[in-house]
Coordinates of all heavy atoms in Angstrom, one line a residue:
Q290 N 25.1 -81.4 93.3 CA 25.3 -82.7 92.7 C 26.3 -83.5 93.4 O 26.1 -84.8 93.6 CB 25.6 -82.5 91.2 CG 24.6 -81.9 90.5 CD 23.5 -82.8 90.1 OE1 23.7 -84.0 90.1 NE2 22.2 -82.4 90.0
A291 N 27.4 -82.9 93.8 CA 28.5 -83.6 94.5 C 28.0 -84.2 95.8 O 28.3 -85.2 96.2 CB 29.7 -82.6 94.8
R292 N 27.1 -83.4 96.6 CA 26.6 -83.8 97.9 C 25.7 -85.1 97.6 O 25.6 -86.0 98.4 CB 25.8 -82.6 98.5 CG 25.8 -82.7 99.9 CD 25.1 -81.5 100.7 NE 25.5 -80.2 100.1 CZ 24.8 -79.4 99.6 NH1 23.4 -79.6 99.8 NH2 25.1 -78.2 99.2
K293 N 24.9 -85.0 96.5 CA 24.0 -86.0 96.2 C 24.8 -87.4 95.9 O 24.3 -88.5 96.3 CB 23.2 -85.6 94.9 CG 21.9 -86.4 94.9 CD 21.1 -85.8 93.8 CE 19.7 -86.7 93.7 NZ 18.8 -86.1 92.6
R294 N 25.9 -87.2 95.2 CA 26.7 -88.3 94.8 C 27.3 -89.0 96.0 O 27.5 -90.2 96.1 CB 27.6 -88.1 93.8 CG 27.2 -87.8 92.4 CD 28.3 -87.7 91.4 NE 29.2 -86.5 91.7 CZ 29.0 -85.4 90.9 NH1 28.1 -85.3 90.2 NH2 29.8 -84.3 91.2
E295 N 27.6 -88.2 97.0 CA 28.3 -88.7 98.2 C 27.5 -89.6 99.0 O 27.9 -90.6 99.7 CB 28.7 -87.5 99.2 CG 30.0 -86.8 98.8 CD 30.2 -85.7 99.8 OE1 29.6 -85.5 100.7 OE2 31.2 -84.9 99.3
Q296 N 26.1 -89.3 99.1 CA 25.2 -90.1 100.0 C 25.0 -91.5 99.5 O 24.9 -91.7 98.1 CB 23.8 -89.3 100.1 CG 24.1 -88.0 100.8 CD 22.6 -87.3 100.8 OE1 21.7 -87.6 100.1 NE2 22.6 -86.2 101.6
P297 N 25.0 -92.5 100.4 CA 24.7 -93.8 100.0 C 23.2 -93.9 99.5 O 22.4 -93.2 100.1 CB 25.0 -94.6 101.2 CG 24.9 -93.7 102.4 CD 25.3 -92.4 101.9
P298 N 22.9 -94.9 98.8 CA 21.4 -95.1 98.4 C 20.6 -95.5 99.5 O 21.0 -96.3 100.4 CB 21.5 -96.1 97.3 CG 22.7 -96.8 97.5 CD 23.7 -95.9 98.1
K299 N 19.3 -94.9 99.7 CA 18.5 -95.3 100.7 C 18.0 -96.7 100.4 O 17.7 -97.0 99.2 CB 17.4 -94.0 100.9 CG 18.0 -92.9 101.4 CD 16.7 -91.9 101.7 CE 17.3 -90.7 102.3 NZ 17.5 -89.7 101.2
V300 N 17.5 -97.4 101.4 CA 16.9 -98.7 101.2 C 15.4 -98.5 101.5 O 15.0 -98.2 102.7 CB 17.6 -99.8 102.0 CG1 16.8 -101.1 101.7 CG2 19.0 -100.0 101.6
K301 N 14.6 -98.7 100.6 CA 13.2 -98.6 100.7 C 12.6 -100.0 100.8 O 12.9 -100.8 99.9 CB 12.5 -97.8 99.6 CG 13.1 -96.4 99.4 CD 12.6 -95.4 100.4 CE 13.2 -94.0 100.0 NZ 12.5 -93.0 100.6
E302 N 11.7 -100.3 101.7 CA 11.1 -101.5 101.8 C 9.7 -101.6 101.2 O 8.8 -100.7 101.4 CB 11.0 -102.0 103.3 CG 10.5 -103.5 103.4 CD 10.4 -103.8 104.9 OE1 10.5 -103.1 105.8 OE2 10.2 -105.1 105.1
L303 N 9.4 -102.6 100.4 CA 8.1 -102.9 99.9 C 7.7 -104.3 100.4 O 8.3 -105.3 100.2 CB 8.2 -102.9 98.4 CG 8.3 -101.6 97.6 CD1 8.3 -101.8 96.1 CD2 7.2 -100.6 98.0
R304 N 6.5 -104.3 101.1 CA 6.0 -105.5 101.6 C 4.9 -106.1 100.7 O 4.1 -105.4 100.3 CB 5.3 -105.2 103.1 CG 6.5 -104.8 104.0 CD 6.0 -104.7 105.3 NE 6.9 -104.2 106.3 CZ 6.6 -103.8 107.5 NH1 5.4 -103.5 107.9 NH2 7.6 -103.3 108.3
L305 N 4.9 -107.4 100.6 CA 4.0 -108.1 99.7 C 3.5 -109.4 100.5 O 4.1 -109.7 101.5 CB 4.6 -108.6 98.5 CG 5.4 -107.6 97.6 CD1 6.8 -108.0 97.5 CD2 4.7 -107.5 96.3
T306 N 2.4 -109.9 100.0 CA 1.9 -111.2 100.4 C 2.0 -112.3 99.3 O 1.9 -111.9 98.2 CB 0.5 -111.2 101.0 OG1 -0.4 -110.7 99.9 CG2 0.3 -110.2 102.1
P307 N 2.1 -113.4 99.8 CA 2.2 -114.6 98.6 C 1.0 -114.6 97.7 O 1.1 -115.0 96.7 CB 2.4 -115.9 99.5 CG 3.0 -115.5 100.9 CD 2.2 -114.1 101.0
H308 N -0.1 -114.4 98.3 CA -1.5 -114.6 97.5 C -1.8 -113.0 96.9 O -2.8 -112.5 97.1 CB -2.7 -115.0 98.4 CG -2.3 -116.2 99.1 ND1 -2.1 -117.4 98.5 CD2 -1.9 -116.5 100.5 CE1 -1.8 -118.4 99.3 NE2 -1.8 -117.9 100.4
I309 N -0.8 -112.5 96.2 CA -1.1 -111.2 95.7 C -1.8 -111.3 94.3 O -1.5 -112.1 93.5 CB 0.3 -110.4 95.5 CG1 0.0 -108.9 95.2 CG2 1.2 -111.1 94.4 CD1 1.4 -108.0 95.3
E310 N -2.8 -110.4 94.1 CA -3.5 -110.3 92.8 C -2.7 -109.7 91.8 O -1.8 -108.8 92.1 CB -4.9 -109.6 93.0 CG -5.7 -110.4 93.9 CD -7.1 -109.9 94.1 OE1 -7.6 -109.0 93.2 OE2 -7.9 -110.2 95.1
E311 N -3.0 -109.9 90.5 CA -2.2 -109.3 89.4 C -2.1 -107.8 89.4 O -1.0 -107.2 89.2 CB -2.7 -109.9 88.2 CG -1.8 -109.6 86.9 CD -0.6 -110.3 87.1 OE1 -0.4 -111.3 87.6 OE2 0.5 -109.7 86.6
H312 N -3.2 -107.1 89.7 CA -3.2 -105.6 89.7 C -2.4 -105.2 90.8 O -1.6 -104.2 90.7 CB -4.7 -105.2 89.9 CG -4.6 -103.6 90.0 ND1 -4.7 -102.9 91.3 CD2 -4.7 -102.7 89.2 CE1 -4.7 -101.7 91.1 NE2 -4.6 -101.4 89.9
D313 N -2.4 -105.8 92.0 CA -1.5 -105.2 93.1 C 0.0 -105.6 92.9 O 0.8 -104.8 93.2 CB -2.0 -106.0 94.4 CG -3.4 -105.7 94.8 OD1 -3.9 -104.5 94.5 OD2 -3.9 -106.5 95.5
Y314 N 0.2 -106.8 92.1 CA 1.5 -107.0 91.8 C 2.1 -106.0 90.8 O 3.2 -105.5 91.0 CB 1.6 -108.4 90.9 CG 2.9 -108.8 90.5 CD1 3.9 -109.3 91.2 CD2 3.3 -108.5 89.1 CE1 5.1 -109.7 90.7 CE2 4.4 -108.8 88.6 CZ 5.4 -109.3 89.4 OH 6.6 -109.7 89.0
E315 N 1.3 -105.6 89.8 CA 1.8 -104.4 88.8 C 2.0 -103.3 89.6 O 3.0 -102.5 89.2 CB 0.7 -104.3 87.8 CG 0.7 -105.5 86.8 CD 1.9 -105.8 86.0 OE1 2.6 -104.7 85.8 OE2 2.1 -107.0 85.8
T316 N 1.2 -102.8 90.6 CA 1.4 -101.6 91.3 C 2.7 -101.6 92.0 O 3.5 -100.8 92.1 CB 0.2 -101.4 92.3 OG1 -1.1 -101.6 91.6 CG2 0.3 -100.1 93.1
K317 N 3.0 -102.7 92.7 CA 4.2 -102.9 93.6 C 5.4 -102.9 92.7 O 6.5 -102.4 93.0 CB 4.2 -104.2 94.4 CG 3.2 -104.3 95.5 CD 3.6 -103.3 96.7 CE 2.6 -103.3 97.8 NZ 2.9 -102.5 98.8
K318 N 5.3 -103.5 91.5 CA 6.3 -103.6 90.6 C 6.8 -102.2 90.1 O 7.9 -101.8 90.0 CB 6.0 -104.5 89.4 CG 7.2 -104.6 88.4 CD 6.9 -105.6 87.2 CE 6.2 -104.8 86.1 NZ 5.9 -105.4 85.0
S319 N 5.7 -101.4 89.7 CA 6.0 -100.1 89.1 C 6.4 -99.2 90.3 O 7.3 -98.3 90.1 CB 4.8 -99.5 88.6 OG 3.6 -99.3 89.6
Q320 N 6.0 -99.4 91.6 CA 6.6 -98.7 92.7 C 8.1 -99.0 92.9 O 8.9 -98.0 93.0 CB 5.9 -99.0 94.1 CG 4.7 -98.3 94.3 CD 4.1 -98.7 95.8 OE1 4.3 -99.9 96.1 NE2 3.3 -97.9 96.3
A321 N 8.5 -100.2 92.8 CA 9.9 -100.6 92.9 C 10.7 -100.1 91.8 O 11.7 -99.6 92.0 CB 9.9 -102.2 92.9
E322 N 10.1 -100.2 90.5 CA 10.8 -99.6 89.5 C 11.1 -98.1 89.5 O 12.2 -97.5 89.2 CB 10.0 -99.8 88.1 CG 10.7 -99.8 86.9 CD 9.8 -100.2 85.7 OE1 9.2 -101.2 85.8 OE2 9.8 -99.5 84.7
R323 N 10.0 -97.3 90.1 CA 10.3 -95.9 90.3 C 11.3 -95.6 91.3 O 12.2 -94.8 91.0 CB 8.9 -95.2 90.7 CG 8.8 -93.7 90.7 CD 7.6 -93.1 91.1 NE 7.3 -93.6 92.4 CZ 6.1 -94.1 92.9 NH1 5.2 -94.5 91.9 NH2 6.0 -94.6 94.1
L324 N 11.4 -96.4 92.3 CA 12.5 -96.1 93.4 C 13.7 -96.5 92.9 O 14.7 -95.8 93.2 CB 12.1 -97.1 94.6 CG 10.8 -96.7 95.4 CD1 10.4 -97.7 96.3 CD2 11.1 -95.2 96.2
L325 N 13.9 -97.6 92.1 CA 15.2 -97.9 91.6 C 15.7 -96.9 90.5 O 16.9 -96.5 90.6 CB 15.2 -99.3 90.8 CG 15.0 -100.6 91.7 CD1 14.6 -101.7 91.0 CD2 16.3 -100.7 92.4
R326 N 14.8 -96.3 89.8 CA 15.2 -95.3 88.7 C 15.7 -94.0 89.5 O 16.4 -93.2 88.9 CB 14.1 -95.1 87.8 CG 13.9 -96.3 86.9 CD 13.1 -95.8 85.6 NE 12.7 -97.0 84.9 CZ 13.5 -97.8 84.1 NH1 14.6 -97.6 84.0 NH2 12.9 -98.8 83.4
A327 N 15.1 -93.8 90.6 CA 15.5 -92.7 91.5 C 16.8 -92.8 92.1 O 17.2 -91.9 92.7 CB 14.4 -92.3 92.5
G328 N 17.4 -94.1 92.2 CA 18.6 -94.3 92.8 C 18.6 -94.9 94.1 O 19.6 -95.0 94.7
D329 N 17.4 -95.3 94.6 CA 17.2 -95.9 95.9 C 17.3 -97.4 95.7 O 16.8 -97.9 94.7 CB 16.0 -95.5 96.5 CG 16.0 -94.0 97.0 OD1 17.1 -93.5 97.3 OD2 14.9 -93.4 96.8
A330 N 17.7 -98.2 96.8 CA 17.7 -99.6 96.8 C 16.4 -100.0 97.3 O 15.7 -99.3 98.1 CB 18.8 -100.2 97.7
V331 N 15.9 -101.2 96.8 CA 14.6 -101.6 97.3 C 14.6 -103.0 97.9 O 15.3 -103.9 97.4 CB 13.6 -101.8 96.0 CG1 12.3 -102.3 96.3 CG2 13.5 -100.4 95.2
L332 N 14.1 -103.2 99.2 CA 14.1 -104.3 99.8 C 12.7 -104.9 99.7 O 11.6 -104.3 100.3 CB 14.4 -104.1 101.4 CG 14.4 -105.4 102.2 CD1 15.6 -106.4 101.8 CD2 14.6 -105.1 103.6
L333 N 12.5 -105.9 98.9 CA 11.2 -106.6 98.8 C 11.0 -107.7 99.8 O 11.8 -108.6 99.9 CB 11.2 -107.2 97.3 CG 11.4 -106.4 96.1 CD1 11.7 -107.1 94.9 CD2 10.2 -105.4 95.9
T334 N 10.0 -107.5 100.6 CA 9.6 -108.5 101.7 C 8.3 -109.2 101.6 O 7.4 -108.5 101.3 CB 9.7 -107.8 103.1 OG1 11.0 -106.9 103.1 CG2 9.6 -108.7 104.2
V335 N 8.3 -110.4 101.7 CA 7.1 -111.2 101.6 C 6.8 -111.8 103.0 O 7.6 -112.7 103.4 CB 7.1 -112.2 100.5 CG1 5.8 -113.0 100.4 CG2 7.4 -111.5 99.1
R336 N 5.7 -111.6 103.7 CA 5.3 -112.3 104.8 C 4.7 -113.6 104.5 O 4.0 -113.8 103.6 CB 4.2 -111.5 105.5 CG 4.6 -110.0 105.8 CD 5.3 -109.9 107.1 NE 5.9 -108.5 107.2 CZ 7.0 -108.2 108.0 NH1 7.5 -109.2 108.6 NH2 7.1 -107.0 108.1
I337 N 5.3 -114.6 105.4 CA 4.9 -115.9 105.2 C 4.1 -116.5 106.4 O 4.6 -116.2 107.5 CB 6.2 -116.8 105.0 CG1 7.1 -116.4 103.8 CG2 5.9 -118.4 104.8 CD1 8.4 -117.0 103.6
Q338 N 3.2 -117.3 106.1 CA 2.4 -118.1 107.2 C 2.4 -119.5 106.8 O 2.0 -119.7 105.6 CB 1.0 -117.5 107.3 CG 0.9 -116.1 107.8 CD -0.5 -115.5 107.7 OE1 -1.3 -115.9 107.3 NE2 -0.5 -114.3 108.6
G339 N 2.8 -120.5 107.6 CA 2.7 -121.8 107.3 C 3.6 -122.3 106.1 O 4.9 -122.0 106.2
K340 N 2.9 -123.0 105.1 CA 3.8 -123.5 104.1 C 3.7 -122.6 102.8 O 3.7 -123.2 101.6 CB 3.2 -124.8 103.7 CG 3.2 -125.8 105.0 CD 2.7 -127.2 104.6 CE 2.9 -128.1 105.8 NZ 2.2 -129.4 105.6
E341 N 3.8 -121.2 103.0 CA 3.8 -120.3 101.8 C 5.2 -120.1 101.4 O 5.5 -119.1 100.5 CB 3.1 -119.1 102.2 CG 1.6 -119.3 102.5 CD 0.9 -118.0 103.0 OE1 1.7 -117.2 103.6 OE2 -0.3 -117.9 102.8
G342 N 6.2 -120.8 101.9 CA 7.6 -120.3 101.5 C 8.0 -120.5 100.0 O 8.5 -119.6 99.5
A343 N 7.5 -121.4 99.4 CA 7.7 -121.8 98.0 C 7.1 -120.6 97.1 O 7.6 -120.2 96.1 CB 7.3 -123.2 97.5
Q344 N 5.9 -120.3 97.5 CA 5.0 -119.4 96.8 C 5.8 -118.0 96.9 O 5.9 -117.1 96.0 CB 3.6 -119.2 97.4 CG 2.7 -120.2 96.8 CD 1.4 -119.9 97.6 OE1 1.3 -119.9 98.9 NE2 0.3 -119.9 96.8
A345 N 6.2 -117.8 98.1 CA 7.0 -116.4 98.3 C 8.2 -116.4 97.5 O 8.4 -115.3 96.9 CB 7.2 -116.4 99.8
K346 N 8.9 -117.3 97.4 CA 10.2 -117.5 96.7 C 9.9 -117.2 95.1 O 10.7 -116.4 94.6 CB 10.9 -118.8 96.9 CG 12.4 -118.7 96.4 CD 13.1 -119.9 96.9 CE 14.5 -119.8 96.3 NZ 15.4 -120.7 96.8
E347 N 8.8 -117.9 94.7 CA 8.4 -117.8 93.3 C 8.1 -116.2 92.9 O 8.4 -115.7 92.0 CB 7.2 -118.7 92.9 CG 7.6 -120.1 92.7 CD 6.4 -121.0 92.4 OE1 5.4 -120.4 91.8 OE2 6.4 -122.1 92.8
L348 N 7.4 -115.7 93.9 CA 6.9 -114.3 93.7 C 8.2 -113.4 93.7 O 8.3 -112.5 92.7 CB 5.9 -114.0 94.8 CG 5.5 -112.5 94.9 CD1 4.7 -112.2 93.7 CD2 4.8 -112.1 96.2
L349 N 9.2 -113.5 94.6 CA 10.2 -112.7 94.6 C 11.2 -112.9 93.3 O 11.6 -112.0 92.8 CB 11.0 -113.0 95.8 CG 10.5 -112.3 97.1 CD1 11.3 -112.8 98.3 CD2 10.4 -110.8 97.1
E350 N 11.3 -114.2 92.9 CA 12.0 -114.5 91.7 C 11.4 -113.8 90.3 O 12.1 -113.2 89.6 CB 12.1 -116.0 91.5 CG 13.0 -116.7 92.3 CD 13.1 -118.2 92.3 OE1 12.0 -118.8 91.6 OE2 13.8 -118.9 92.9
R351 N 10.0 -113.9 90.4 CA 9.3 -113.1 89.2 C 9.5 -111.7 89.3 O 9.9 -110.9 88.3 CB 7.8 -113.4 89.5 CG 7.0 -112.8 88.2 CD 5.5 -113.3 88.5 NE 4.7 -112.3 87.6 CZ 3.4 -112.1 88.0 NH1 2.8 -112.7 88.9 NH2 2.7 -111.3 87.1
L352 N 9.5 -111.1 90.4 CA 9.7 -109.6 90.6 C 11.1 -109.3 90.2 O 11.4 -108.2 89.6 CB 9.4 -109.1 92.0 CG 8.1 -108.5 92.3 CD1 7.9 -108.4 94.0 CD2 7.9 -107.2 91.7
V353 N 12.1 -110.1 90.7 CA 13.6 -109.9 90.3 C 13.7 -109.9 88.8 O 14.4 -109.0 88.2 CB 14.4 -110.7 91.0 CG1 15.9 -110.8 90.4 CG2 14.5 -110.6 92.4
R354 N 13.0 -110.9 88.2 CA 13.2 -111.0 86.7 C 12.4 -109.8 86.0 O 13.0 -109.1 85.1 CB 12.3 -112.2 86.2 CG 13.2 -113.5 86.0 CD 12.6 -114.5 85.1 NE 11.1 -114.7 85.4 CZ 10.7 -115.5 86.4 NH1 11.4 -116.2 87.3 NH2 9.4 -115.7 86.7
D355 N 11.4 -109.3 86.4 CA 10.6 -108.2 85.9 C 11.3 -106.8 86.1 O 11.3 -105.9 85.3 CB 9.2 -108.1 86.4 CG 8.3 -109.3 85.9 OD1 8.8 -110.0 85.1 OD2 7.2 -109.4 86.5
L356 N 12.1 -106.7 87.2 CA 12.7 -105.5 87.5 C 14.2 -105.6 87.1 O 15.0 -104.6 87.3 CB 12.7 -105.2 89.1 CG 11.3 -104.8 89.6 CD1 11.3 -104.8 91.0 CD2 10.8 -103.6 89.0
A357 N 14.7 -106.6 86.3 CA 16.0 -106.7 85.9 C 16.6 -105.5 85.0 O 17.8 -105.0 85.2 CB 16.2 -107.9 85.0
P358 N 15.7 -104.8 84.2 CA 16.3 -103.7 83.4 C 16.7 -102.5 84.3 O 17.4 -101.8 83.8 CB 15.0 -103.3 82.7 CG 14.1 -104.4 82.6 CD 14.4 -105.3 83.8
C359 N 16.2 -102.3 85.5 CA 16.5 -101.2 86.2 C 17.2 -101.5 87.7 O 17.6 -100.6 88.3 CB 15.2 -100.2 86.5 SG 13.8 -101.1 87.2
G360 N 17.3 -102.6 87.9 CA 17.8 -103.2 89.2 C 18.5 -104.6 89.2 O 17.9 -105.4 88.5
Q361 N 19.6 -104.7 90.0 CA 20.1 -106.2 90.1 C 20.1 -106.5 91.7 O 20.2 -105.6 92.4 CB 21.6 -106.2 89.5 CG 22.5 -105.6 90.4 CD 23.1 -104.3 89.8 OE1 22.6 -103.9 88.7 NE2 24.0 -103.8 90.4
K362 N 19.9 -107.8 91.8 CA 19.8 -108.2 93.2 C 21.2 -108.1 93.8 O 22.2 -108.6 93.2 CB 19.1 -109.6 93.4 CG 19.6 -110.8 92.7 CD 18.8 -112.0 93.0 CE 19.3 -113.2 92.3 NZ 18.5 -114.3 92.5
Q363 N 21.3 -107.8 95.2 CA 22.4 -107.8 95.9 C 23.0 -109.0 96.3 O 24.1 -109.3 96.3 CB 22.2 -106.8 97.1 CG 23.4 -106.7 98.0 CD 23.1 -105.7 99.2 OE1 22.1 -105.2 99.3 NE2 24.1 -105.6 100.1
S364 N 21.9 -109.9 96.7 CA 22.2 -111.3 97.1 C 21.1 -112.2 96.8 O 20.1 -111.6 96.4 CB 22.7 -111.3 98.6 OG 21.7 -111.0 99.3
G365 N 21.2 -113.5 97.2 CA 20.1 -114.2 96.8 C 18.8 -114.0 97.8 O 18.9 -113.2 98.5
I366 N 17.8 -114.7 97.5 CA 16.5 -114.7 98.3 C 16.8 -115.2 99.5 O 17.0 -116.5 99.6 CB 15.3 -115.3 97.5 CG1 15.2 -114.4 96.2 CG2 14.1 -115.2 98.3 CD1 14.2 -115.0 95.2
Q367 N 16.6 -114.5 100.7 CA 16.7 -115.0 102.2 C 15.3 -115.4 102.5 O 14.4 -114.7 102.6 CB 17.3 -114.0 103.0 CG 18.7 -113.8 102.8 CD 19.2 -112.7 102.1 OE1 18.5 -111.7 102.1 NE2 20.2 -112.7 101.4
L368 N 15.3 -116.8 102.9 CA 14.0 -117.3 103.5 C 14.3 -117.4 104.9 O 15.2 -118.2 105.4 CB 13.7 -118.6 102.9 CG 12.8 -118.7 101.7 CD1 12.9 -120.0 101.0 CD2 11.4 -118.2 101.9
S369 N 13.6 -116.8 105.8 CA 13.8 -116.9 107.3 C 12.4 -116.9 108.0 O 11.9 -115.8 108.0 CB 14.8 -115.8 107.7 OG 14.1 -114.5 107.5
G370 N 12.1 -117.9 108.7 CA 11.0 -118.1 109.5 C 9.7 -117.4 109.0 O 9.2 -118.0 108.2
K371 N 9.3 -116.2 109.3 CA 8.1 -115.5 108.9 C 8.2 -114.7 107.6 O 7.2 -114.0 107.3 CB 7.5 -114.7 110.0 CG 7.3 -115.6 111.2 CD 6.6 -114.8 112.3 CE 6.3 -115.6 113.5 NZ 5.1 -116.3 113.5
Q372 N 9.3 -114.6 107.0 CA 9.5 -113.7 105.8 C 10.5 -114.2 104.8 O 11.5 -114.9 105.2 CB 9.7 -112.4 106.1 CG 11.1 -112.0 106.7 CD 11.3 -110.6 107.0 OE1 10.2 -109.8 107.1 NE2 12.4 -110.0 107.1
A373 N 10.3 -113.7 103.5 CA 11.3 -114.0 102.5 C 11.6 -112.7 102.0 O 10.8 -111.8 101.8 CB 10.7 -114.8 101.4
A374 N 13.0 -112.4 101.7 CA 13.3 -111.0 101.3 C 14.5 -111.1 100.2 O 15.2 -112.0 100.3 CB 13.7 -110.2 102.5

Side-chain angles (χ1 to χ4, degrees):
Q290 290 294 327
R292 209 175 315 128
K293 197 173 184 179
R294 283 190 296 267
E295 283 174 6
Q296 293 177 346
K299 291 186 177 94
V300 178
K301 307 280 186 163
E302 183 180 15
L303 288 180
R304 293 181 182 167
L305 309 118
T306 58
H308 305 290
I309 192 168
E310 292 185 18
E311 196 55 37
H312 174 266
D313 297 332
Y314 173 84
E315 289 299 323
T316 303
K317 290 291 185 182
K318 184 178 88 170
S319 65
Q320 275 182 332
E322 200 170 314
R323 190 178 62 234
L324 289 168
L325 287 166
R326 291 199 193 285
D329 294 325
V331 178
L332 179 66
L333 300 166
T334 307
V335 180
R336 300 280 173 203
I337 302 171
Q338 295 175 343
K340 298 179 180 174
E341 296 174 335
Q344 282 177 306
K346 192 169 181 173
E347 278 178 37
L348 174 66
L349 287 175
E350 285 171 352
R351 179 178 165 202
L352 261 169
V353 168
R354 267 195 318 274
D355 290 349
L356 293 170
C359 52
Q361 75 252 4
K362 60 182 177 177
Q363 181 178 352
S364 61
I366 296 171
Q367 281 99 29
L368 277 164
S369 60
K371 297 187 184 277
Q372 72 178 19

